[in-house]
């Protein structure tokens, strides 16, 4: 969901507090704010922050702020002016973090380059131009990596058919590369072959993915969108 994307709240502060809102304040905020957010939009959590009496509202993977009476809604990012840290983005990253080992990797294509020690999971649509560019200009330049690719069909009506044909090919990985790198389509899948398209779609929805590519790392963090080889190497270097 996307709403009220404009606005900016600036503050010099510490990292986000994990203290929850007291029940009375939380009830007031829910009563006054939730009905104004839009049809079927629910607040997932409310907690106090150290920022001048603001309260954090989490809606899915988005963060907003309000006062204790729920009269005002702040849509934007809070920055620590001393450290130049975007503390709102840090909180969003925390909310979006997953347990990598919980990913059903059996639903993904698997490719290994070099020693394969560095591991990522990608969600890509076969009709995604940025996904193709990411493979041509980034993955092709990175070695010692294992890539799990979930074919996440959200962009076009025929994405599902293309993914099924690739999954059912004699060599799935080659069929995927043939299509993503060379626009060579896989042969039509046999009638009795099934692909995990519905399961992957449900997984992507559960993870809140609204676009492709999406890159997940073993520490549970994610990068929405394509990045270049230097940025990918820097990310790997930052992982503990």
């Amino acid at each position: 969901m996307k709403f009220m994307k404009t606005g900016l709240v600036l503050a010099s502060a510490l990292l986000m507090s994990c203290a929850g809102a007291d029940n009375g304040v939380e009830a007031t905020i829910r009563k006054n704010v939730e009905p104004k957010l839009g049809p079927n939009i629910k607040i997932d959590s409310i907690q106090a922050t150290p920022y001048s009496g603001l309260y954090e509202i989490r809606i899915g993977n988005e963060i907003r702020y309000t006062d204790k009476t729920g009269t005002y809604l702040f849509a934007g990012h809070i920055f620590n002016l001393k450290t130049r840290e975007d503390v709102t983005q840090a909180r969003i990253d925390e909310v979006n973090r997953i347990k990598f080992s919980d990913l059903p990797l059996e639903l993904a294509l698997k490719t290994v380059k070099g020693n394969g020690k560095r591991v990522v999971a990608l969600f890509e649509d076969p009709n995604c131009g940025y996904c193709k560019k990411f493979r041509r200009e980034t993955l092709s330049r990175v070695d010692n990596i294992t890539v799990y690719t979930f074919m996440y069909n959200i962009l076009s009506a025929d994405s599902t058919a293309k993914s099924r044909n690739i999954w059912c090919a004699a060599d799935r990985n080659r069929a995927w590369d043939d299509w993503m790198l060379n626009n060579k389509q896989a042969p039509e899948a046999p009638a009795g072959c099934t692909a995990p398209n519905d399961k992957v779609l449900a997984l992507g929805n559960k993870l809140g993915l609204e676009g492709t590519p999406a890159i997940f790392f073993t520490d549970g963090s994610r990068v929405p969108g394509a990045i270049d080889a230097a940025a990918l190497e820097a990310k790997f270097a930052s992982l503990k």
Side-chain angles (χ1 to χ4, degrees):
M1 74 199 72
K2 301 292 180 183
F3 60 95
M4 298 186 68
K5 288 296 184 184
T6 59
L8 180 67
V9 180
L10 292 177
S12 176
L14 301 174
L15 291 176
M16 181 69 66
S17 168
C18 291
D22 66 75
N23 291 338
V25 172
E26 180 175 344
T28 298
I29 291 173
R30 286 188 183 277
K31 177 183 177 182
N32 293 336
V33 175
E34 198 169 65
K36 308 293 195 308
L37 296 177
N40 302 317
I41 296 177
K42 300 296 182 181
I43 295 173
D44 293 307
S45 68
I46 299 169
Q47 65 180 37
T49 80
Y51 315 131
S52 303
L54 291 179
Y55 285 78
E56 174 199 290
I57 298 174
R58 182 176 67 82
I59 304 139
N61 59 2
E62 296 190 9
I63 301 296
R64 298 290 180 263
Y65 303 97
T66 188
D67 63 295
K68 67 179 182 179
T69 67
T71 301
Y72 301 96
L73 186 68
F74 299 87
H77 284 219
I78 294 175
F79 292 84
N80 184 327
L81 295 181
K82 291 183 179 180
T83 65
R84 297 176 180 260
E85 180 187 15
D86 183 339
V87 292
T88 300
Q89 188 59 53
R91 177 68 175 134
I92 291 171
D93 292 343
E94 178 186 344
V95 167
N96 284 331
R97 194 173 297 274
I98 68 166
K99 188 175 180 180
F100 192 90
S101 60
D102 285 345
L103 289 175
L105 300 179
E106 71 277 5
L107 305 181
L109 307 176
K110 179 183 178 181
T111 57
V112 179
K113 291 178 65 179
N115 61 31
K117 290 183 178 180
R118 305 185 297 180
V119 181
V120 294
L122 306 179
F123 283 73
E124 298 182 311
D125 186 292
N127 288 310
C128 170
Y130 288 108
C131 300
K132 295 178 180 180
K133 182 177 181 180
F134 177 70
R135 288 186 170 270
R136 288 194 308 267
E137 300 182 5
T138 299
L139 289 185
S140 65
R141 301 177 182 178
V142 176
D143 201 6
N144 299 325
I145 185 173
T146 297
V147 179
Y148 291 96
T149 302
F150 292 88
M151 293 184 285
Y152 185 49
N153 308 304
I154 59 172
L155 296 181
S156 178
D158 73 338
S159 293
T160 298
K162 287 176 179 174
S163 291
R164 178 173 177 268
N165 292 340
I166 290 167
W167 183 265
C168 295
D171 186 336
R172 295 170 181 167
N173 293 323
R174 182 173 180 177
W176 180 252
D177 283 344
D178 281 345
W179 169 247
M180 297 298 282
L181 300 177
N182 304 311
N183 290 320
K184 179 182 177 182
Q185 294 199 34
E188 187 173 350
C193 180
T194 58
N197 292 338
D198 291 342
K199 293 180 180 179
V200 173
L201 185 62
L203 174 64
N205 288 335
K206 180 180 178 181
L207 295 173
L209 300 183
E210 298 179 343
T212 55
I215 312 167
F216 287 86
F217 297 87
T218 52
D219 68 343
S221 63
R222 71 178 75 184
V223 172
I227 56 177
D228 61 24
L232 183 58
E233 290 287 1
K235 177 63 179 179
F236 280 132
S238 72
L239 299 179
K240 296 180 180 180

